[in-house]
Amino acid sequence: MEHISFPPLSRVAICGGTHGNEMSGVYMVREMQQKPKADQVGSVSITTVLSNPRAVDACRRYIDKDLNRCFTDDLLSAPVTDSTPYELRRAQELNAQLGPKGSQEAVDVVCDLHNTTANMGLCFIFYSLDWITMHIYKYIKSRITSAPVRAIQLDIPMSEAYSLESVGKHGCAIEVGPQPGGVVRADIFNLVKEAVDLTIEWLQGFNSGSTFEGGEVEVYNMVKSVDYPRDPTTNEITAAIHPELQDNDFKLLHPGDPMFLKFSGEAVKHEGEELYPFFVNECAYYEKKIACHLGKKFNITIPSVSVKKD
Amino acid sequence: MEHISFPPLSRVAICGGTHGNEMSGVYMVREMQQKPKADQVGSVSITTVLSNPRAVDACRRYIDKDLNRCFTDDLLSAPVTDSTPYELRRAQELNAQLGPKGSQEAVDVVCDLHNTTANMGLCFIFYSLDWITMHIYKYIKSRITSAPVRAIQLDIPMSEAYSLESVGKHGCAIEVGPQPGGVVRADIFNLVKEAVDLTIEWLQGFNSGSTFEGGEVEVYNMVKSVDYPRDPTTNEITAAIHPELQDNDFKLLHPGDPMFLKFSGEAVKHEGEELYPFFVNECAYYEKKIACHLGKKFNITIPSVSVKKD
């Protein structure tokens, strides 16, 4: 089986509060910032970042614009004027601090902590086939037993990758739920903490010369998004996610399965091919006109990896 | 056993969106407003009210100030100036529409629909010992089986009663959870719809001359509120609700039971007498410095009631 070696991964950024009302990351970052000497663990230097401090203060997802949609090449190089949204300025600051995106100066790994109101357990989200990120996912999946661990791969070129983790040489969003916006749950916080600790543990092992065996990993990718049924006149939604779909993220949806329940009482069925639903009834996606994403599951064979020796 | 007769209860107001991100009431009111002839059901004339339309549009609890703390006598009679918060002006409008509070012109019953992130099932909240409200609660509790139905009585004089339902001759808040802010869950929506339908059904029965038998009803009242542990320097919270308390609203909390789990890992125990927790980890109470309320349970004997015959 194939083997690939990489340079040492000595600089990692742990980011929280990219969405200001997703509280696990906010409290995780604050907790790490209070610990003495938490910025260097063995071979790994750790930068902790509260990504959107104004949104955190307001306990809202964002102030002017969703920060986690601002990291495309175009937006990161857009000129800043008086009317530039706060989040776009902040994205450029973060790119200067942790990137620049796509450069040799960028931190090795960006790990951005998110929450969702969907019942998704612990979910890695990454762009492209990044063997390092996929090995961290494989490592964490094999060690966390208190919740399901899954991965979603977004099929978007890096220049158009819009989220914070794309600024690092490697990176992923860690999405954990269900947790309401503005709320911190101890069970979800502990899950996030376990994932962060295991990420740092994996990086230590990698830097110290361990070989991590390859193999098959299971990944979901997105086929399409589905909007809520809406009133054609008012554009208001006329249905909620059906109780049989609610809380059943990643449970295969067959044609004819109920998908929505109208407020007037009738069910609306899923049409088309069998697909896996995720981000089911995510709070922040109402304004994006997304009731859930639907995707496919596939297996990827990843090579074994180890650190490149000088 | 005692019997009390009351004048007919012909005017009811069903209110939603008093908090703009509590979605069951928002969609319940919109659904009722779309149904033809839904404003008169038999002997009952129904007014539907979207209480805080600006907060609903923004999908936030409130714009300037919590509307559901604005209905005290003092605030309802405060002079309006250019700097008056939006919600205070709106409270005075609602008082003019549904009250005036404490007057003979007020609607007979105000039913205000709320959601909480706490696992509270369906919970009636009312001021004082109002036999009509308590009979509606008793009726609904005996008919709804899909979730626990409970009542909280607030021991506050009507002049200082701060919430919307205090504007009616009788009234209650119906608090249903768990549901994240900004999210509508079909199961929670259906529970709210069932409660509204049963309320109207009870009023029909009452107006048509039925006698509703008295008896014992179980009610919780509030003893105190508990704040999160906080950092003395930054004032930030340093703990989440303990997993053993999370989602266990109304489960008796004994001295020594774990109450919080610090982000650093240690448990914080409940001290003092046995009490019942509720509003455990309610999103909107972080800013009010309330991690949960603690209260006692008691039984109240209520009289039988019927309509006063001319």
Side-chain angles (χ1 to χ4, degrees):
Chain A
M1 183 174 283
E2 200 187 357
H3 179 88
I4 303 185
S5 60
F6 289 87
L9 301 164
S10 54
R11 292 165 63 218
V12 60
I14 307 293
C15 307
T18 301
H19 294 134
N21 62 349
E22 299 180 5
M23 304 313 285
S24 298
V26 173
Y27 289 111
M28 186 70 211
V29 163
R30 283 191 180 143
E31 184 61 24
M32 291 177 80
Q33 288 177 342
Q34 292 215 334
K35 265 196 194 156
K37 300 183 188 172
D39 56 344
Q40 186 73 40
V41 180
S43 59
V44 180
S45 113
I46 302 170
T47 305
T48 49
V49 180
L50 201 64
S51 315
N52 194 336
R54 283 184 54 193
V56 170
D57 283 347
C59 200
R60 282 159 57 185
R61 183 173 174 91
Y62 57 83
I63 299 296
D64 295 327
K65 188 180 161 73
D66 190 336
L67 173 61
N68 215 33
R69 299 295 180 273
C70 290
F71 293 91
T72 62
D73 284 3
D74 283 357
L75 288 174
L76 288 178
S77 58
V80 170
T81 68
D82 283 354
S83 63
T84 299
Y86 166 68
E87 276 82 6
L88 194 46
R89 280 182 281 134
R90 186 67 187 134
Q92 296 192 2
E93 283 173 20
L94 290 164
N95 188 45
Q97 183 187 356
L98 305 175
K101 178 175 171 176
S103 75
Q104 276 310 307
E105 291 73 47
V107 299
D108 295 306
V109 178
V110 171
C111 188
D112 192 28
L113 307 175
H114 288 265
N115 293 120
T116 172
T117 58
N119 185 24
M120 284 172 63
L122 196 151
C123 198
F124 278 72
I125 304 176
F126 44 74
Y127 298 96
S128 74
L129 296 179
D130 173 339
W131 306 136
I132 294 296
T133 308
M134 292 178 83
H135 264 282
I136 295 172
Y137 158 56
K138 181 170 181 273
Y139 187 77
I140 290 179
K141 187 179 174 74
S142 71
R143 274 159 182 79
I144 286 185
T145 55
S146 57
V149 179
R150 301 184 187 92
I152 295 169
Q153 190 233 327
L154 301 173
D155 196 15
I156 295 172
M158 283 312 283
S159 61
E160 289 164 38
Y162 46 71
S163 51
L164 172 55
E165 68 274 12
S166 69
V167 163
K169 288 198 189 76
H170 311 275
C172 62
I174 298 185
E175 188 76 63
V176 193
Q179 180 172 272
V183 159
V184 57
R185 287 181 63 103
D187 52 356
I188 301 288
F189 178 86
N190 287 343
L191 205 50
V192 170
K193 185 171 190 316
E194 213 178 339
V196 169
D197 289 347
L198 287 168
T199 299
I200 294 166
E201 184 179 291
W202 187 89
L203 293 170
Q204 300 281 4
F206 177 86
N207 290 339
S208 69
S210 300
T211 294
F212 292 92
E213 295 304 323
E216 286 216 324
V217 297
E218 189 181 272
V219 173
Y220 294 83
N221 72 358
M222 202 191 300
V223 172
K224 61 176 177 178
S225 302
V226 181
D227 189 14
Y228 293 93
R230 288 177 189 272
D231 182 290
T233 314
T234 65
N235 210 29
E236 297 293 348
I237 72 172
T238 56
I241 292 287
H242 194 279
E244 288 186 32
L245 175 56
Q246 177 71 49
D247 303 327
N248 281 320
D249 298 69
F250 298 105
K251 187 184 158 200
L252 191 60
L253 195 65
H254 303 89
D257 284 349
M259 193 158 190
F260 297 102
L261 184 62
K262 289 198 175 182
F263 299 128
S264 54
E266 312 98 77
V268 178
K269 292 174 179 175
H270 169 58
E271 292 173 4
E273 61 183 332
E274 288 184 349
L275 291 167
Y276 292 91
F278 44 90
F279 281 111
V280 175
N281 207 351
E282 156 57 30
C283 172
Y285 288 179
Y286 281 77
E287 67 175 16
K288 298 183 199 289
K289 300 194 187 303
I290 297 169
C292 69
H293 293 312
L294 296 175
K296 293 195 173 177
K297 182 165 73 171
F298 57 105
N299 286 317
I300 296 175
T301 304
I302 64 173
S304 71
V305 297
S306 65
V307 72
K308 195 174 278 175
K309 304 225 165 82
D310 294 329
Chain B
M1 182 175 283
E2 199 186 357
H3 179 89
I4 302 185
S5 59
F6 288 87
L9 302 165
S10 54
R11 292 165 63 218
V12 60
I14 307 293
C15 306
T18 301
H19 294 134
N21 61 350
E22 299 179 5
M23 303 314 286
S24 299
V26 172
Y27 289 111
M28 185 70 211
V29 163
R30 283 191 181 145
E31 185 59 25
M32 292 176 80
Q33 288 177 341
Q34 292 215 334
K35 265 197 194 154
K37 300 183 186 171
D39 56 344
Q40 184 75 39
V41 179
S43 60
V44 180
S45 111
I46 302 170
T47 304
T48 49
V49 180
L50 200 65
S51 315
N52 193 335
R54 283 184 54 190
V56 170
D57 283 347
C59 200
R60 283 158 58 184
R61 183 174 175 90
Y62 57 83
I63 300 295
D64 295 328
K65 188 178 160 74
D66 190 335
L67 174 60
N68 215 32
R69 299 295 180 274
C70 290
F71 293 90
T72 62
D73 284 4
D74 282 356
L75 289 175
L76 289 178
S77 59
V80 171
T81 68
D82 283 353
S83 63
T84 300
Y86 167 68
E87 276 82 6
L88 194 45
R89 278 183 281 134
R90 186 68 189 133
Q92 296 191 3
E93 282 174 19
L94 289 165
N95 189 45
Q97 182 187 356
L98 305 175
K101 180 176 172 176
S103 75
Q104 275 310 307
E105 291 73 47
V107 298
D108 295 307
V109 178
V110 171
C111 187
D112 193 28
L113 307 175
H114 287 265
N115 292 120
T116 171
T117 58
N119 185 25
M120 283 172 64
L122 196 152
C123 198
F124 278 72
I125 305 177
F126 44 74
Y127 298 97
S128 74
L129 296 180
D130 173 340
W131 305 137
I132 294 296
T133 309
M134 294 178 82
H135 264 282
I136 296 173
Y137 158 55
K138 182 171 180 275
Y139 186 78
I140 290 179
K141 188 180 174 73
S142 71
R143 273 159 183 80
I144 286 185
T145 54
S146 57
V149 179
R150 303 184 186 91
I152 296 169
Q153 190 233 328
L154 301 174
D155 197 14
I156 295 172
M158 282 313 283
S159 62
E160 289 165 38
Y162 46 71
S163 50
L164 173 56
E165 68 274 12
S166 69
V167 163
K169 288 198 188 76
H170 311 275
C172 62
I174 298 185
E175 187 76 64
V176 192
Q179 180 172 273
V183 160
V184 57
R185 286 181 63 103
D187 52 354
I188 301 288
F189 178 86
N190 287 342
L191 205 50
V192 170
K193 185 171 189 317
E194 213 178 339
V196 169
D197 289 347
L198 287 168
T199 298
I200 294 166
E201 183 178 291
W202 187 90
L203 292 170
Q204 300 281 5
F206 177 85
N207 289 339
S208 69
S210 301
T211 294
F212 292 92
E213 294 305 324
E216 286 216 323
V217 297
E218 191 181 270
V219 172
Y220 294 83
N221 72 357
M222 203 192 299
V223 173
K224 62 176 177 178
S225 303
V226 181
D227 189 14
Y228 292 92
R230 288 177 189 272
D231 182 289
T233 315
T234 65
N235 209 30
E236 296 295 347
I237 72 171
T238 56
I241 292 288
H242 195 280
E244 288 186 30
L245 174 57
Q246 178 71 49
D247 304 326
N248 281 319
D249 299 68
F250 297 107
K251 187 183 157 199
L252 191 60
L253 195 66
H254 303 88
D257 285 349
M259 193 158 189
F260 297 102
L261 183 62
K262 290 198 174 181
F263 299 128
S264 55
E266 312 97 78
V268 178
K269 292 174 179 176
H270 170 58
E271 292 174 2
E273 61 183 330
E274 288 184 350
L275 291 168
Y276 291 92
F278 44 91
F279 281 110
V280 175
N281 207 352
E282 156 57 31
C283 173
Y285 288 180
Y286 281 76
E287 67 174 17
K288 298 183 199 289
K289 297 191 189 305
I290 297 170
C292 69
H293 293 311
L294 297 175
K296 292 193 174 177
K297 183 166 72 172
F298 57 104
N299 286 317
I300 295 175
T301 304
I302 65 173
S304 70
V305 297
S306 63
V307 73
K308 195 175 277 173
K309 306 232 163 73
D310 292 330

